[in-house]
Coordinates of all heavy atoms in Angstrom, one line a residue:
H28 N -3.1 -12.5 2.9 CA -3.8 -11.5 2.2 C -2.9 -10.8 1.2 O -1.7 -10.6 1.6 CB -4.5 -10.4 3.1 CG -5.3 -11.0 4.1 ND1 -6.6 -11.4 4.0 CD2 -5.0 -11.3 5.4 CE1 -7.1 -11.8 5.2 NE2 -6.1 -11.8 6.0
Y29 N -3.2 -10.5 0.0 CA -2.3 -10.1 -1.0 C -2.7 -8.7 -1.5 O -3.8 -8.5 -2.0 CB -2.3 -11.1 -2.2 CG -1.8 -12.4 -1.7 CD1 -2.8 -13.4 -1.6 CD2 -0.4 -12.7 -1.5 CE1 -2.4 -14.7 -1.2 CE2 -0.1 -14.0 -1.0 CZ -1.1 -15.0 -0.9 OH -0.7 -16.2 -0.5
L30 N -1.7 -7.7 -1.4 CA -1.9 -6.4 -1.9 C -1.4 -6.3 -3.3 O -0.3 -7.0 -3.6 CB -1.2 -5.4 -1.0 CG -1.7 -5.4 0.4 CD1 -0.7 -4.6 1.4 CD2 -3.1 -4.9 0.6
E31 N -1.9 -5.5 -4.1 CA -1.5 -5.3 -5.5 C -1.2 -3.9 -5.8 O -1.8 -3.0 -5.2 CB -2.6 -5.9 -6.5 CG -2.9 -7.3 -6.3 CD -1.9 -8.3 -6.7 OE1 -0.8 -7.9 -7.3 OE2 -2.1 -9.6 -6.6
W32 N -0.4 -3.7 -6.8 CA -0.1 -2.3 -7.2 C -1.3 -1.6 -7.9 O -2.1 -2.2 -8.6 CB 1.1 -2.3 -8.2 CG 2.3 -2.7 -7.5 CD1 2.9 -3.9 -7.7 CD2 3.2 -1.9 -6.6 NE1 4.2 -3.9 -6.8 CE2 4.3 -2.8 -6.2 CE3 3.1 -0.7 -6.1 CZ2 5.2 -2.3 -5.3 CZ3 4.1 -0.2 -5.3 CH2 5.1 -1.0 -4.9
L33 N -1.4 -0.3 -7.6 CA -2.5 0.5 -8.2 C -1.7 1.4 -9.3 O -0.6 1.7 -9.0 CB -3.2 1.3 -7.2 CG -3.8 0.6 -5.9 CD1 -4.3 1.6 -4.9 CD2 -4.9 -0.3 -6.4
I34 N -2.5 1.8 -10.2 CA -1.9 2.9 -11.1 C -2.0 4.2 -10.4 O -3.1 4.6 -9.9 CB -2.8 3.0 -12.4 CG1 -2.7 1.6 -13.2 CG2 -2.2 4.1 -13.3 CD1 -1.3 1.2 -13.6
P35 N -0.9 4.9 -10.3 CA -0.9 6.1 -9.5 C -1.6 7.3 -10.3 O -1.6 7.3 -11.5 CB 0.7 6.5 -9.4 CG 1.3 5.7 -10.5 CD 0.5 4.5 -10.8
Y36 N -2.1 8.2 -9.5 CA -2.6 9.4 -10.0 C -1.5 10.3 -10.5 O -0.3 10.1 -10.1 CB -3.4 10.2 -9.0 CG -4.7 9.4 -8.4 CD1 -4.9 9.6 -7.1 CD2 -5.4 8.6 -9.2 CE1 -6.0 8.8 -6.5 CE2 -6.4 7.9 -8.7 CZ -6.8 8.0 -7.4 OH -7.8 7.3 -6.8
S37 N -1.8 11.3 -11.3 CA -0.7 12.2 -11.8 C -0.2 12.9 -10.6 O -0.9 13.5 -9.8 CB -1.4 13.2 -12.8 OG -0.4 14.1 -13.2
N38 N 1.2 12.9 -10.5 CA 1.9 13.6 -9.5 C 1.5 13.1 -8.1 O 1.7 13.9 -7.1 CB 1.9 15.1 -9.6 CG 2.4 15.6 -11.0 OD1 3.5 15.2 -11.3 ND2 1.6 16.5 -11.6
E39 N 1.1 11.9 -7.9 CA 0.6 11.4 -6.6 C 1.8 11.2 -5.7 O 2.8 10.7 -6.1 CB -0.2 10.1 -6.8 CG -0.8 9.6 -5.4 CD -1.7 8.5 -5.7 OE1 -1.6 7.8 -6.7 OE2 -2.5 8.2 -4.7
T40 N 1.6 11.7 -4.4 CA 2.7 11.5 -3.4 C 2.7 10.0 -3.0 O 1.7 9.3 -3.1 CB 2.5 12.4 -2.2 OG1 1.3 12.0 -1.6 CG2 2.4 13.9 -2.7
L41 N 3.9 9.6 -2.4 CA 3.9 8.3 -1.9 C 3.0 8.1 -0.7 O 2.4 7.0 -0.6 CB 5.4 8.0 -1.5 CG 5.8 6.6 -1.1 CD1 5.5 5.6 -2.3 CD2 7.2 6.5 -0.6
S42 N 2.8 9.2 0.1 CA 2.0 9.1 1.2 C 0.6 8.8 0.8 O -0.2 8.0 1.4 CB 2.1 10.4 2.0 OG 1.2 10.4 3.2
N43 N 0.1 9.6 -0.2 CA -1.3 9.4 -0.7 C -1.5 8.1 -1.3 O -2.5 7.4 -1.1 CB -1.7 10.5 -1.7 CG -3.1 10.5 -2.0 OD1 -4.0 11.0 -1.2 ND2 -3.5 10.0 -3.2
Y44 N -0.5 7.6 -2.0 CA -0.6 6.3 -2.6 C -0.7 5.1 -1.6 O -1.6 4.3 -1.7 CB 0.7 6.0 -3.5 CG 0.6 4.8 -4.3 CD1 0.1 4.8 -5.6 CD2 1.1 3.6 -3.9 CE1 0.1 3.7 -6.4 CE2 1.1 2.4 -4.7 CZ 0.5 2.5 -5.9 OH 0.5 1.4 -6.7
T45 N 0.1 5.3 -0.5 CA 0.0 4.3 0.5 C -1.3 4.3 1.2 O -1.8 3.3 1.8 CB 1.1 4.3 1.5 OG1 1.3 5.7 2.0 CG2 2.5 4.0 0.7
T46 N -1.9 5.5 1.3 CA -3.2 5.7 1.9 C -4.3 4.8 1.1 O -5.2 4.2 1.7 CB -3.6 7.1 2.0 OG1 -2.8 7.8 2.9 CG2 -5.1 7.3 2.6
R47 N -4.2 4.9 -0.2 CA -5.1 4.1 -1.0 C -4.8 2.6 -0.9 O -5.8 1.8 -0.9 CB -4.9 4.5 -2.5 CG -5.4 5.9 -2.8 CD -5.7 6.0 -4.3 NE -4.6 6.1 -5.1 CZ -4.5 5.5 -6.2 NH1 -5.4 4.7 -6.7 NH2 -3.3 5.6 -6.9
I48 N -3.6 2.2 -0.7 CA -3.2 0.8 -0.5 C -3.8 0.4 0.9 O -4.3 -0.7 1.0 CB -1.7 0.5 -0.5 CG1 -1.1 0.8 -2.0 CG2 -1.4 -0.9 0.0 CD1 -1.5 -0.2 -3.0
Q49 N -3.7 1.3 1.8 CA -4.2 1.0 3.2 C -5.6 0.6 3.2 O -6.1 -0.2 4.1 CB -4.0 2.2 4.0 CG -4.5 2.1 5.5 CD -4.4 3.4 6.3 OE1 -3.7 4.4 5.8 NE2 -5.1 3.5 7.3
E50 N -6.5 1.1 2.2 CA -7.9 0.8 2.2 C -8.1 -0.7 2.0 O -9.2 -1.2 2.3 CB -8.5 1.6 1.1 CG -8.6 3.1 1.4 CD -9.1 3.9 0.2 OE1 -9.5 3.3 -0.8 OE2 -9.1 5.1 0.3
E51 N -7.1 -1.4 1.5 CA -7.2 -2.8 1.2 C -7.0 -3.7 2.5 O -7.1 -4.9 2.5 CB -6.4 -3.3 0.1 CG -6.6 -2.6 -1.2 CD -8.1 -2.7 -1.7 OE1 -8.5 -3.9 -1.6 OE2 -8.7 -1.7 -2.1
I52 N -6.5 -3.1 3.6 CA -6.1 -3.7 4.8 C -7.3 -3.8 5.7 O -7.7 -2.7 6.2 CB -4.9 -3.1 5.5 CG1 -3.7 -3.2 4.6 CG2 -4.6 -3.8 6.9 CD1 -2.5 -2.5 5.1
K53 N -7.9 -5.0 6.0 CA -9.2 -5.1 6.6 C -9.1 -5.6 8.1 O -10.1 -5.8 8.8 CB -10.1 -6.0 5.9 CG -10.3 -5.6 4.4 CD -10.8 -4.2 4.2 CE -11.1 -3.9 2.7 NZ -11.6 -2.6 2.5
H54 N -7.9 -5.8 8.6 CA -7.6 -6.4 9.9 C -6.8 -5.6 10.7 O -5.8 -4.9 10.2 CB -7.1 -7.9 9.8 CG -7.9 -8.8 8.9 ND1 -7.8 -8.9 7.6 CD2 -8.9 -9.6 9.3 CE1 -8.7 -9.8 7.1 NE2 -9.4 -10.2 8.1
E55 N -7.0 -5.6 12.0 CA -6.2 -4.8 12.9 C -4.9 -5.5 13.3 O -4.8 -6.7 13.3 CB -7.0 -4.5 14.2 CG -8.2 -3.6 14.0 CD -8.9 -3.2 15.3 OE1 -8.4 -3.7 16.3 OE2 -9.9 -2.5 15.3
N56 N -3.9 -4.7 13.4 CA -2.6 -5.2 13.9 C -2.1 -6.4 13.1 O -1.6 -7.3 13.6 CB -2.7 -5.6 15.4 CG -1.4 -5.5 16.1 OD1 -0.7 -4.6 15.8 ND2 -1.1 -6.4 17.0
P57 N -2.0 -6.1 11.7 CA -1.5 -7.2 10.9 C 0.0 -7.3 10.8 O 0.7 -6.4 11.3 CB -2.1 -6.9 9.5 CG -2.0 -5.4 9.5 CD -2.3 -5.0 11.0
V58 N 0.5 -8.4 10.3 CA 1.9 -8.5 9.8 C 2.0 -8.0 8.4 O 1.2 -8.4 7.5 CB 2.4 -9.9 10.0 CG1 3.8 -10.0 9.3 CG2 2.4 -10.4 11.3
L59 N 2.9 -7.0 8.1 CA 3.1 -6.5 6.8 C 4.4 -7.1 6.3 O 5.5 -7.0 7.0 CB 3.1 -5.1 6.7 CG 1.9 -4.3 7.3 CD1 2.1 -2.8 7.1 CD2 0.6 -4.7 6.5
I60 N 4.4 -7.7 5.1 CA 5.7 -8.2 4.4 C 5.8 -7.6 3.0 O 4.9 -7.8 2.2 CB 5.7 -9.7 4.4 CG1 5.6 -10.3 5.8 CG2 6.9 -10.2 3.6 CD1 5.6 -11.9 5.8
G61 N 6.8 -6.9 2.8 CA 7.0 -6.3 1.5 C 8.4 -6.6 0.9 O 9.4 -6.7 1.6
V62 N 8.4 -6.8 -0.4 CA 9.6 -7.1 -1.1 C 10.1 -5.9 -2.0 O 9.3 -5.3 -2.7 CB 9.4 -8.3 -2.1 CG1 10.6 -8.6 -3.0 CG2 9.1 -9.6 -1.3
S63 N 11.3 -5.6 -1.9 CA 12.0 -4.5 -2.7 C 11.2 -3.2 -2.5 O 11.1 -2.7 -1.4 CB 12.1 -4.9 -4.2 OG 12.9 -4.1 -4.9
F64 N 10.7 -2.6 -3.6 CA 9.9 -1.4 -3.5 C 8.6 -1.6 -2.6 O 8.2 -0.7 -1.9 CB 9.4 -0.9 -4.8 CG 8.7 0.5 -4.8 CD1 9.0 1.4 -3.9 CD2 7.8 0.8 -5.8 CE1 8.4 2.7 -3.8 CE2 7.1 2.1 -5.8 CZ 7.4 3.0 -4.8
G65 N 8.2 -2.8 -2.6 CA 7.0 -3.2 -1.7 C 7.4 -3.0 -0.2 O 6.7 -2.8 0.6
G66 N 8.8 -3.3 0.0 CA 9.3 -3.1 1.4 C 9.2 -1.6 1.9 O 9.0 -1.3 3.0
I67 N 9.4 -0.7 0.9 CA 9.3 0.7 1.2 C 7.8 1.0 1.5 O 7.4 1.8 2.4 CB 9.8 1.6 0.1 CG1 11.4 1.4 0.0 CG2 9.4 3.1 0.2 CD1 12.1 2.1 -1.2
I68 N 7.0 0.4 0.7 CA 5.5 0.7 0.8 C 5.0 0.2 2.2 O 4.3 0.9 2.8 CB 4.7 0.0 -0.3 CG1 5.0 0.6 -1.6 CG2 3.2 0.0 0.0 CD1 4.5 2.0 -1.9
V69 N 5.4 -1.0 2.6 CA 4.9 -1.4 3.9 C 5.5 -0.6 5.1 O 4.8 -0.5 6.1 CB 5.2 -3.0 4.2 CG1 4.4 -3.8 3.1 CG2 6.6 -3.4 4.2
Q70 N 6.7 -0.1 4.9 CA 7.2 0.8 6.0 C 6.4 2.1 6.0 O 6.1 2.7 7.1 CB 8.6 1.1 5.7 CG 9.6 -0.1 5.9 CD 11.0 0.2 5.6 OE1 11.7 0.7 6.4 NE2 11.4 -0.1 4.4
E71 N 6.0 2.6 4.9 CA 5.1 3.8 4.9 C 3.7 3.5 5.5 O 3.1 4.3 6.2 CB 5.0 4.3 3.4 CG 6.3 5.0 2.9 CD 6.8 6.1 3.7 OE1 5.9 7.0 3.9 OE2 7.9 6.2 4.1

């Protein structure tokens, strides 16, 4: 499954941004793999 970048809201926090990304994850207990800044996102 592939996650894509969203355009951030004005002054959006990283936590809120990752919550929006989280909405695209439809399966329990998945493996998350992130590259570079994507690595920071999957850790969040």
Side-chain angles (χ1 to χ4, degrees):
H28 310 274
Y29 301 100
L30 300 170
E31 302 288 358
W32 293 103
L33 307 172
I34 298 299
Y36 301 143
S37 178
N38 297 316
E39 186 171 19
T40 64
L41 189 61
S42 179
N43 191 76
Y44 187 88
T45 54
T46 296
R47 291 202 287 137
I48 295 287
Q49 180 187 342
E50 294 174 2
E51 301 302 317
I52 298 176
K53 308 300 183 182
H54 301 88
E55 294 184 359
N56 210 35
V58 172
L59 302 180
I60 298 179
V62 172
S63 193
F64 186 30
I67 291 175
I68 295 294
V69 298
Q70 289 177 86
E71 291 298 308

